[in-house]
Amino acid sequence: MARKRHSVFIVTSELAPYVKTGGLADMVAALAAGFKRKGHDVRVALPFYSQIKLSGMRYTTALNSMCVTMGIGEQWCAVRYVETPDKIPVYLIEHDAFFDRPGLYHDQGYNDYQDNPRRFGFFSRAALQIVLDLSLKPDIIHVNDWQTALVPVYLKTWFWNHPVLGRSASVLTIHNESYQGAYSAEHYKWLGLRDDDFTPDIFEDFKRVNLLKGGIYYADAVNTVSPTHAREISTPFEGFGLAPYISNKGKAFRGILNGVDYSTWSPEIDPLIPARYSAHDLSGKVVCKHYLQKHFHLEENSRIALIGFIGRLTTQKGIHLLKEIIERVVKDMVAQFVILGSGDPEYEHFFGTLPGRYPGKIGSYIGFNNDQAHLIEAGADFFVMPSLYEPCGLNQMYSLRYGTVPIVHATGGLDDTVENYDEKTGSGTGFKFWEISGNALYYTIGWAVSTYYDRSRHLLTLRQNAMKQDFSWDRSVKQYLQLYETAIHMKNEYDTRFE
Ligand code: ADP
């Protein structure tokens, strides 16, 4: 049977390399490239944030002016156009009042922009307008997180019998369910949502409007980004209040593990690290370690265990556990840390000032820096991810490829991708702990550090095992294509209700 060629329109609030605050940007870029490689037609819509504009990137204009009708009034915007290096069309929606801001979702003090529902509701509606004004014919519209969760809603309420949009099935990927886009209900009318839908099972959330919840209700299929996290969020305990609505989706909800873009994250070819290396020849890793120690003003000694952390400095990432024990670790063990991240001011201050108190032992950079992220992945011996929950997590998969043995809390995607070290045989790919506590983290780091010094042959085996892991996108792309088939099927079933 001939393989079906899909026309996929991805609507996203982040896309690497243009704009990124987390894994969403990487995931969408890699998934789009994966579809393209398999011969599908894939296009992306993204807000034209000032951060992209100011990068000096060259672009053309797809639409000089586009009218977007919202629940109250019209908004006007322009649509700019670029192609990714993989030749994927990207439509950039230019609306400066909404997207010319210092942050994507919040100001520099980490306060959410209170008009976020309007900013991203507009973006969602504008993405559909692009389909109409540029005569695209997507059979799948794939949206991501609360920012674009209104797309499936508009499809089913405004455009359910439209000759073009009425044919598109929708897929909603939840990258992080703790962010639901719940805001004041004063925005409800502006967004053009149905009065009848302001109920607890669709949009209403303790008198506020919850965009993700409405998106889950209306999307033809929903997924999150690892099988274990899919199970977790289907339970009331770990479902962030949405477990019943997720469970209602039945077979139209599943977990699909993100893949890794190995053309960007492989020590054999990485142009951002000082020396390249492979599982067969790890000598370049030692060069990277020296460089990393020098860069972060650590004692330059390849025989000291070096532990890296990269990520948002928020409690989701378990950063409070690391805060609780990091000083104890460097006092009790011969170990160094490099921390790269930004986030809550409290943690930024703590980790930003640690190097001053532990010179030569702890290095940190508060901010977002891709070059340093690559250097840490290559130069560290271990990579720590004590996340309280982790829908998928990318860094542990990057670490595996760089032979940087992960130390993780066994949750979500971390549990799916890291195999615990077996002290008898030396098998496994990392070190896991189950209890959420500073002590559990402390002793697991201790276990890793003692393996480094006392069982170095085991550590070498762990590194080799880790580097052999393959989380490439081909497998995930296949599973997304299956999910698309499910979405089309669910949409057809839904439509028969109106026949
Ligand atoms: P999340 O999406 O929850 O933030 P992930 O582990 O899925 O976490 O993805 C985070 C991505 O963002 C990784 O590619 C990581 O390297 C990158 N990243 C996070 N913080 C920083 C930072 N401060 N500097 C550079 N890259 C970062």
Side-chain angles (χ1 to χ4, degrees):
M1 195 175 74
R3 201 162 42 86
K4 187 169 175 214
R5 185 173 177 267
H6 283 293
S7 171
V8 184
F9 191 52
I10 302 181
V11 190
T12 177
S13 61
E14 298 187 25
L15 179 69
Y18 306 107
V19 64
K20 164 171 168 176
T21 68
L24 165 67
D26 287 352
M27 182 278 192
V28 174
L31 183 65
F35 287 142
K36 176 88 181 172
R37 277 197 303 276
K38 296 270 179 226
H40 300 279
D41 178 80
V42 54
R43 294 157 194 270
V44 181
L46 180 73
F48 199 18
Y49 302 106
S50 45
Q51 288 80 349
I52 309 180
K53 252 189 209 181
L54 296 173
S55 70
M57 182 189 71
R58 295 166 73 100
Y59 56 85
T60 56
T61 295
L63 292 167
N64 255 321
S65 90
M66 183 172 81
C67 177
V68 180
T69 311
M70 299 305 298
I72 301 176
E74 296 168 344
Q75 297 287 319
W76 289 81
C77 61
V79 180
R80 310 297 176 192
Y81 178 85
V82 285
E83 275 182 10
T84 67
D86 305 304
K87 302 267 175 277
I88 294 166
V90 180
Y91 303 100
L92 299 152
I93 295 170
E94 184 174 46
H95 186 305
D96 285 348
F98 282 152
F99 301 123
D100 182 5
R101 310 251 173 122
L104 265 47
Y105 316 123
H106 43 69
D107 64 20
Q108 278 144 338
Y110 249 69
N111 306 301
D112 264 17
Y113 295 125
Q114 284 310 305
D115 61 348
N116 270 347
R118 294 187 188 212
R119 299 172 71 223
F120 290 100
F122 156 77
F123 170 58
S124 300
R125 176 64 189 80
L128 295 178
Q129 198 62 40
I130 290 179
V131 171
L132 299 177
D133 289 9
L134 294 178
S135 305
L136 309 178
K137 290 192 177 54
D139 55 341
I140 293 290
I141 303 189
H142 187 157
V143 306
N144 298 276
D145 282 342
W146 68 265
Q147 289 89 340
T148 50
L150 288 188
V151 171
V153 180
Y154 291 138
L155 281 174
K156 285 267 192 308
T157 55
W158 290 35
F159 297 110
W160 66 275
N161 64 352
H162 187 277
V164 175
L165 287 174
R167 291 167 173 272
S168 302
S170 60
V171 169
L172 166 62
T173 298
I174 302 173
H175 299 259
N176 194 334
E177 208 194 21
S178 71
Y179 300 97
Q180 299 180 3
Y183 292 93
S184 161
E186 69 177 3
H187 301 293
Y188 199 76
K189 279 223 173 318
W190 191 93
L191 292 169
L193 304 173
R194 284 160 29 106
D195 287 346
D196 288 356
D197 284 351
F198 197 68
T199 58
D201 60 330
I202 307 183
F203 275 111
E204 198 262 339
D205 181 355
F206 294 97
K207 304 260 185 296
R208 298 192 301 168
V209 50
N210 184 321
L211 303 187
L212 185 65
K213 196 166 153 184
I216 292 170
Y217 180 85
Y218 276 114
D220 293 306
V222 178
N223 77 300
T224 188
V225 286
S226 70
T228 294
H229 194 61
R231 282 192 295 279
E232 288 165 353
I233 65 173
S234 306
T235 66
F237 183 58
E238 294 175 284
F240 302 97
L242 298 183
Y245 315 106
I246 291 279
S247 302
N248 279 347
K249 301 306 283 187
K251 62 180 186 332
F253 171 70
R254 61 191 73 153
I256 302 177
L257 195 70
N258 284 339
V260 172
D261 176 3
Y262 287 123
S263 67
T264 307
W265 294 96
S266 284
E268 292 87 351
I269 52 169
D270 190 338
L272 299 176
I273 59 177
R276 272 150 290 285
Y277 60 91
S278 67
H280 307 294
D281 178 6
L282 284 165
S283 53
K285 188 161 176 66
V286 183
V287 177
C288 294
K289 180 169 176 177
H290 267 289
Y291 193 90
L292 179 62
Q293 287 174 321
K294 194 176 162 83
H295 189 83
F296 280 90
H297 309 291
L298 301 176
E299 182 185 336
E300 287 176 54
N301 181 342
S302 60
R303 298 166 82 88
I304 298 179
L306 175 47
I307 304 166
F309 173 91
I310 305 167
R312 290 179 291 113
L313 301 179
T314 61
T315 43
Q316 182 215 323
K317 297 291 175 188
I319 199 70
H320 56 299
L321 302 178
L322 192 59
K323 178 178 179 233
E324 187 185 321
I325 56 104
I326 189 168
E327 294 175 78
R328 192 146 59 103
V329 172
V330 293
K331 280 178 195 152
D332 297 353
M333 305 176 202
V334 183
Q336 300 172 331
F337 279 91
V338 172
I339 313 285
L340 166 64
S342 58
D344 291 353
E346 174 202 341
Y347 300 125
E348 288 195 350
H349 177 77
F350 178 79
F351 288 102
T353 54
L354 268 186
R357 289 193 282 130
Y358 296 91
K361 291 188 166 189
I362 300 178
S364 72
Y365 177 85
I366 304 304
F368 197 94
N369 188 309
N370 189 47
D371 292 10
Q372 289 189 7
H374 283 253
L375 179 60
I376 294 171
E377 289 291 4
D381 296 299
F382 300 102
F383 192 92
V384 66
M385 285 183 83
S387 311
L388 300 191
Y389 67 94
E390 193 58 81
C392 177
L394 292 172
N395 278 312
Q396 83 282 8
M397 293 195 275
Y398 301 157
S399 302
L400 290 167
R401 180 46 66 106
Y402 283 76
T404 302
V405 180
I407 301 168
V408 302
H409 174 218
T411 182
L414 299 176
D415 203 19
D416 286 336
T417 52
V418 178
E419 187 195 329
N420 204 19
Y421 168 50
D422 179 337
E423 193 153 327
K424 287 199 205 78
T425 61
S427 68
T429 58
F431 298 84
K432 287 194 195 181
F433 62 97
W434 279 260
E435 183 187 290
I436 299 174
S437 73
N439 267 344
L441 175 60
Y442 173 87
Y443 287 111
T444 310
I445 289 176
W447 186 26
V449 170
S450 82
T451 307
Y452 180 90
Y453 291 111
D454 304 334
R455 292 174 296 284
S456 55
R457 276 187 36 245
H458 274 191
L459 190 71
L460 186 62
T461 315
L462 277 172
R463 275 200 215 293
Q464 306 279 358
N465 293 345
M467 294 179 85
K468 273 192 233 138
Q469 300 301 305
D470 182 2
F471 296 105
S472 57
W473 267 99
D474 286 352
R475 178 188 33 82
S476 318
V477 164
K478 220 164 142 187
Q479 291 176 2
Y480 273 103
L481 292 173
Q482 286 162 357
L483 186 65
Y484 289 176
E485 294 301 333
T486 302
I488 291 167
H489 174 77
M490 297 308 286
K491 178 181 157 30
N492 291 339
E493 275 199 355
Y494 183 91
D495 289 348
T496 55
R497 291 195 213 171
F498 302 100
E499 281 172 9

mmCIF file of all heavy atoms in Angstrom, residues 20 22-23 26 310-312 317 340-342 367-370 373 385 390 393-395 398, ligand 1:
data_model
loop_
_atom_site.group_PDB
_atom_site.id
_atom_site.type_symbol
_atom_site.label_atom_id
_atom_site.label_comp_id
_atom_site.label_asym_id
_atom_site.label_seq_id
_atom_site.Cartn_x
_atom_site.Cartn_y
_atom_site.Cartn_z
ATOM 1 N N LYS A 20 14.104 30.011 21.609
ATOM 2 C CA LYS A 20 14.043 28.810 22.446
ATOM 3 C C LYS A 20 14.151 29.185 23.915
ATOM 4 O O LYS A 20 15.008 29.961 24.300
ATOM 5 C CB LYS A 20 15.223 27.906 22.053
ATOM 6 C CG LYS A 20 15.560 26.816 23.043
ATOM 7 C CD LYS A 20 16.584 25.843 22.493
ATOM 8 C CE LYS A 20 17.120 24.928 23.580
ATOM 9 N NZ LYS A 20 18.035 23.906 23.104
ATOM 10 N N GLY A 22 13.213 26.316 25.989
ATOM 11 C CA GLY A 22 13.293 24.960 26.529
ATOM 12 C C GLY A 22 13.137 23.921 25.441
ATOM 13 O O GLY A 22 13.277 24.214 24.240
ATOM 14 N N GLY A 23 12.815 22.697 25.870
ATOM 15 C CA GLY A 23 12.795 21.552 24.975
ATOM 16 C C GLY A 23 11.792 21.649 23.832
ATOM 17 O O GLY A 23 11.998 21.051 22.770
ATOM 18 N N ASP A 26 13.402 22.645 20.518
ATOM 19 C CA ASP A 26 14.201 21.580 19.903
ATOM 20 C C ASP A 26 13.297 20.505 19.321
ATOM 21 O O ASP A 26 13.525 19.997 18.231
ATOM 22 C CB ASP A 26 15.100 20.906 20.958
ATOM 23 C CG ASP A 26 16.257 21.802 21.379
ATOM 24 O OD1 ASP A 26 16.443 22.854 20.743
ATOM 25 O OD2 ASP A 26 16.955 21.455 22.343
ATOM 26 N N ILE A 310 22.280 21.701 33.557
ATOM 27 C CA ILE A 310 21.802 22.742 32.638
ATOM 28 C C ILE A 310 20.285 22.735 32.711
ATOM 29 O O ILE A 310 19.675 21.667 32.628
ATOM 30 C CB ILE A 310 22.173 22.446 31.160
ATOM 31 C CG1 ILE A 310 23.671 22.233 30.995
ATOM 32 C CG2 ILE A 310 21.682 23.563 30.246
ATOM 33 C CD1 ILE A 310 24.062 21.623 29.644
ATOM 34 N N GLY A 311 19.683 23.888 32.851
ATOM 35 C CA GLY A 311 18.223 23.871 32.802
ATOM 36 C C GLY A 311 17.611 25.074 33.474
ATOM 37 O O GLY A 311 18.307 25.937 34.018
ATOM 38 N N ARG A 312 16.305 25.102 33.408
ATOM 39 C CA ARG A 312 15.571 26.184 34.066
ATOM 40 C C ARG A 312 15.728 26.022 35.575
ATOM 41 O O ARG A 312 15.587 24.912 36.105
ATOM 42 C CB ARG A 312 14.098 26.130 33.655
ATOM 43 C CG ARG A 312 13.882 26.522 32.202
ATOM 44 C CD ARG A 312 12.430 26.460 31.772
ATOM 45 N NE ARG A 312 11.922 25.094 31.711
ATOM 46 C CZ ARG A 312 10.990 24.591 32.509
ATOM 47 N NH1 ARG A 312 10.449 25.340 33.445
ATOM 48 N NH2 ARG A 312 10.587 23.346 32.379
ATOM 49 N N LYS A 317 12.504 21.388 38.133
ATOM 50 C CA LYS A 317 13.776 20.732 37.802
ATOM 51 C C LYS A 317 14.476 20.196 39.055
ATOM 52 O O LYS A 317 15.617 19.742 38.988
ATOM 53 C CB LYS A 317 14.685 21.706 37.058
ATOM 54 C CG LYS A 317 14.108 22.149 35.715
ATOM 55 C CD LYS A 317 14.098 21.013 34.703
ATOM 56 C CE LYS A 317 13.417 21.399 33.403
ATOM 57 N NZ LYS A 317 13.234 20.278 32.478
ATOM 58 N N LEU A 340 24.523 25.735 34.757
ATOM 59 C CA LEU A 340 24.122 26.715 33.739
ATOM 60 C C LEU A 340 22.603 26.804 33.753
ATOM 61 O O LEU A 340 21.924 25.797 33.577
ATOM 62 C CB LEU A 340 24.600 26.250 32.350
ATOM 63 C CG LEU A 340 24.006 26.959 31.133
ATOM 64 C CD1 LEU A 340 24.381 28.431 31.099
ATOM 65 C CD2 LEU A 340 24.476 26.278 29.847
ATOM 66 N N GLY A 341 22.067 27.984 33.977
ATOM 67 C CA GLY A 341 20.619 28.087 33.955
ATOM 68 C C GLY A 341 20.137 29.461 34.327
ATOM 69 O O GLY A 341 20.896 30.321 34.770
ATOM 70 N N SER A 342 18.846 29.647 34.138
ATOM 71 C CA SER A 342 18.211 30.881 34.594
ATOM 72 C C SER A 342 16.813 30.506 35.048
ATOM 73 O O SER A 342 16.308 29.432 34.705
ATOM 74 C CB SER A 342 18.159 31.911 33.471
ATOM 75 O OG SER A 342 17.453 31.376 32.386
ATOM 76 N N GLY A 367 22.066 32.451 33.005
ATOM 77 C CA GLY A 367 21.634 32.969 31.707
ATOM 78 C C GLY A 367 21.454 31.803 30.761
ATOM 79 O O GLY A 367 21.581 30.644 31.164
ATOM 80 N N PHE A 368 21.133 32.130 29.531
ATOM 81 C CA PHE A 368 20.927 31.085 28.524
ATOM 82 C C PHE A 368 22.108 31.127 27.570
ATOM 83 O O PHE A 368 22.405 32.177 27.005
ATOM 84 C CB PHE A 368 19.622 31.350 27.777
ATOM 85 C CG PHE A 368 19.133 30.153 27.023
ATOM 86 C CD1 PHE A 368 18.219 29.288 27.592
ATOM 87 C CD2 PHE A 368 19.606 29.869 25.751
ATOM 88 C CE1 PHE A 368 17.775 28.158 26.915
ATOM 89 C CE2 PHE A 368 19.181 28.752 25.064
ATOM 90 C CZ PHE A 368 18.260 27.900 25.644
ATOM 91 N N ASN A 369 22.809 30.024 27.410
ATOM 92 C CA ASN A 369 23.989 30.050 26.554
ATOM 93 C C ASN A 369 24.194 28.672 25.908
ATOM 94 O O ASN A 369 24.621 27.716 26.565
ATOM 95 C CB ASN A 369 25.209 30.442 27.405
ATOM 96 C CG ASN A 369 26.423 30.668 26.538
ATOM 97 O OD1 ASN A 369 26.773 29.830 25.718
ATOM 98 N ND2 ASN A 369 27.060 31.812 26.709
ATOM 99 N N ASN A 370 23.867 28.608 24.637
ATOM 100 C CA ASN A 370 23.895 27.329 23.927
ATOM 101 C C ASN A 370 25.317 26.761 23.808
ATOM 102 O O ASN A 370 25.530 25.554 23.965
ATOM 103 C CB ASN A 370 23.267 27.515 22.543
ATOM 104 C CG ASN A 370 23.062 26.202 21.831
ATOM 105 O OD1 ASN A 370 22.551 25.251 22.417
ATOM 106 N ND2 ASN A 370 23.497 26.123 20.593
ATOM 107 N N ALA A 373 26.224 25.161 26.919
ATOM 108 C CA ALA A 373 25.465 23.917 27.116
ATOM 109 C C ALA A 373 26.195 22.757 26.428
ATOM 110 O O ALA A 373 26.362 21.670 26.997
ATOM 111 C CB ALA A 373 24.040 24.062 26.580
ATOM 112 N N MET A 385 20.044 15.505 36.966
ATOM 113 C CA MET A 385 18.674 15.973 36.694
ATOM 114 C C MET A 385 17.748 15.450 37.790
ATOM 115 O O MET A 385 17.150 14.386 37.653
ATOM 116 C CB MET A 385 18.191 15.477 35.323
ATOM 117 C CG MET A 385 18.815 16.232 34.173
ATOM 118 S SD MET A 385 18.199 15.705 32.562
ATOM 119 C CE MET A 385 16.686 16.623 32.377
ATOM 120 N N GLU A 390 9.279 15.072 34.903
ATOM 121 C CA GLU A 390 9.965 15.420 33.652
ATOM 122 C C GLU A 390 9.205 14.784 32.494
ATOM 123 O O GLU A 390 9.288 13.567 32.291
ATOM 124 C CB GLU A 390 11.407 14.902 33.697
ATOM 125 C CG GLU A 390 12.318 15.450 32.633
ATOM 126 C CD GLU A 390 12.419 16.968 32.648
ATOM 127 O OE1 GLU A 390 13.178 17.519 33.470
ATOM 128 O OE2 GLU A 390 11.733 17.604 31.822
ATOM 129 N N GLY A 393 12.389 15.422 28.879
ATOM 130 C CA GLY A 393 13.773 15.782 29.216
ATOM 131 C C GLY A 393 14.657 15.485 28.025
ATOM 132 O O GLY A 393 14.589 14.393 27.437
ATOM 133 N N LEU A 394 15.434 16.465 27.632
ATOM 134 C CA LEU A 394 16.354 16.264 26.511
ATOM 135 C C LEU A 394 17.782 16.107 26.999
ATOM 136 O O LEU A 394 18.560 15.328 26.466
ATOM 137 C CB LEU A 394 16.266 17.462 25.553
ATOM 138 C CG LEU A 394 14.943 17.598 24.799
ATOM 139 C CD1 LEU A 394 14.887 18.906 24.043
ATOM 140 C CD2 LEU A 394 14.765 16.426 23.842
ATOM 141 N N ASN A 395 18.100 16.872 28.051
ATOM 142 C CA ASN A 395 19.503 16.897 28.461
ATOM 143 C C ASN A 395 20.050 15.530 28.834
ATOM 144 O O ASN A 395 21.221 15.243 28.573
ATOM 145 C CB ASN A 395 19.683 17.857 29.634
ATOM 146 C CG ASN A 395 19.798 19.284 29.138
ATOM 147 O OD1 ASN A 395 20.556 19.560 28.227
ATOM 148 N ND2 ASN A 395 19.034 20.170 29.729
ATOM 149 N N TYR A 398 20.984 13.933 25.637
ATOM 150 C CA TYR A 398 22.233 14.511 25.110
ATOM 151 C C TYR A 398 23.417 13.951 25.913
ATOM 152 O O TYR A 398 24.436 13.574 25.349
ATOM 153 C CB TYR A 398 22.239 16.040 25.242
ATOM 154 C CG TYR A 398 21.124 16.768 24.527
ATOM 155 C CD1 TYR A 398 20.731 18.038 24.932
ATOM 156 C CD2 TYR A 398 20.459 16.200 23.449
ATOM 157 C CE1 TYR A 398 19.719 18.732 24.284
ATOM 158 C CE2 TYR A 398 19.430 16.882 22.800
ATOM 159 C CZ TYR A 398 19.064 18.144 23.228
ATOM 160 O OH TYR A 398 18.059 18.820 22.599
HETATM 161 P P1 ADP B 1 12.487 21.917 29.517
HETATM 162 O O1 ADP B 1 11.895 21.889 28.159
HETATM 163 O O2 ADP B 1 11.568 21.439 30.590
HETATM 164 O O3 ADP B 1 13.082 23.245 29.866
HETATM 165 P P2 ADP B 1 14.353 19.908 28.508
HETATM 166 O O4 ADP B 1 15.439 19.127 29.156
HETATM 167 O O5 ADP B 1 13.310 19.125 27.790
HETATM 168 O O6 ADP B 1 13.719 20.884 29.581
HETATM 169 O O7 ADP B 1 15.015 20.865 27.434
HETATM 170 C C1 ADP B 1 15.769 21.950 27.800
HETATM 171 C C2 ADP B 1 16.562 22.403 26.592
HETATM 172 O O8 ADP B 1 16.954 23.749 26.830
HETATM 173 C C3 ADP B 1 17.826 21.619 26.400
HETATM 174 O O9 ADP B 1 18.174 21.647 25.037
HETATM 175 C C4 ADP B 1 18.835 22.426 27.231
HETATM 176 O O10 ADP B 1 20.144 22.233 26.810
HETATM 177 C C5 ADP B 1 18.370 23.823 26.971
HETATM 178 N N1 ADP B 1 18.654 24.754 28.038
HETATM 179 C C6 ADP B 1 17.967 24.935 29.188
HETATM 180 N N2 ADP B 1 18.500 25.935 29.921
HETATM 181 C C7 ADP B 1 19.558 26.383 29.213
HETATM 182 C C8 ADP B 1 20.527 27.416 29.422
HETATM 183 N N3 ADP B 1 20.507 28.174 30.516
HETATM 184 N N4 ADP B 1 21.454 27.615 28.477
HETATM 185 C C9 ADP B 1 21.477 26.848 27.368
HETATM 186 N N5 ADP B 1 20.606 25.867 27.095
HETATM 187 C C10 ADP B 1 19.657 25.633 28.009
#
